[in-house]
Amino acid sequence: MISDNTIIILGNADALKKPDTAAVRAQIAQSITNIGVSYTVDGASQVTVDLVDEKLAMWNNGYFAVGNMVDFFDGTIKEKYMIASHEISNGEGEHFKIKLELRTEAIQRMKMDKKPQALKSTTAYEYAEKVAKKFSLGFMGQKPTGIKTTTIKV
């Protein structure tokens, strides 16, 4: 069941500092028509949220901007996600359909990294370890032996 704490938009602090934040949470919760969760072994889980926005009130307040942070509570675990993409289409009357794709914060920050640095690494193992550290991700790998030093650019 969807509650007021299932989806909490944390981004766009100005829009959410209106007098009644609880009303904003309730408005978003009541507008949700579908939530799809895709958990993967590689940690790149994605949440898809379909909702209805009457007269584009929430859209125009910037709640669904790409990059906004979102707390998602699945009933057991609360995780931080980032809005990766949004799609809007006509609904019935003054109700518009909005589809949000949310990805975990670290994964989305990696995808948005427009200026990746060249990391001098002796192996792909060390490169992956440095990237994981840069984005505060856990790392698990197996060190290879007998490899020459190379610079890997992304």
Side-chain angles (χ1 to χ4, degrees):
M1 175 158 191
I2 298 171
S3 72
D4 294 355
N5 293 322
T6 303
I7 299 280
I8 300 173
I9 309 283
L10 303 173
N12 194 353
D14 294 336
L16 295 176
K17 284 184 181 175
K18 292 184 178 178
D20 191 0
T21 305
V24 171
R25 289 183 188 178
Q27 181 183 12
I28 291 170
Q30 292 171 2
S31 300
I32 295 173
T33 58
N34 184 46
I35 295 178
V37 182
S38 171
Y39 289 110
T40 60
V41 176
D42 63 2
S45 56
Q46 180 171 311
V47 177
T48 304
V49 180
D50 295 323
L51 53 95
V52 176
D53 190 2
E54 186 176 356
K55 298 181 183 178
L56 293 176
M58 293 182 284
W59 179 273
N60 290 334
N61 280 325
Y63 295 167
F64 311 126
V66 171
N68 277 0
M69 297 303 301
V70 176
D71 271 348
F72 174 69
F73 179 64
D74 67 1
T76 308
I77 301 171
K78 188 177 210 175
E79 293 183 276
K80 272 206 188 325
Y81 284 81
M82 185 180 281
I83 297 177
S85 69
H86 53 232
E87 186 179 308
I88 187 168
S89 61
N90 288 333
E92 296 181 18
E94 295 180 336
H95 294 81
F96 292 84
K97 296 177 189 175
I98 297 176
K99 180 178 183 175
L100 304 175
E101 288 186 353
L102 314 175
R103 291 194 192 100
T104 52
E105 180 182 8
I107 298 298
Q108 188 58 21
R109 290 202 187 284
M110 285 175 61
K111 290 182 180 243
M112 291 173 31
D113 189 12
K114 299 295 182 200
K115 296 181 182 177
Q117 58 188 1
L119 300 171
K120 187 154 180 89
S121 302
T122 56
T123 63
Y125 171 89
E126 287 179 3
Y127 173 76
E129 186 177 38
K130 289 176 183 178
V131 170
K133 185 176 180 181
K134 178 180 176 182
F135 292 100
S136 303
L137 293 169
F139 176 74
M140 183 187 320
Q142 181 178 356
K143 284 189 177 185
T145 56
I147 306 294
K148 295 181 181 178
T149 302
T150 59
T151 301
I152 300 172
K153 294 183 180 182
V154 179

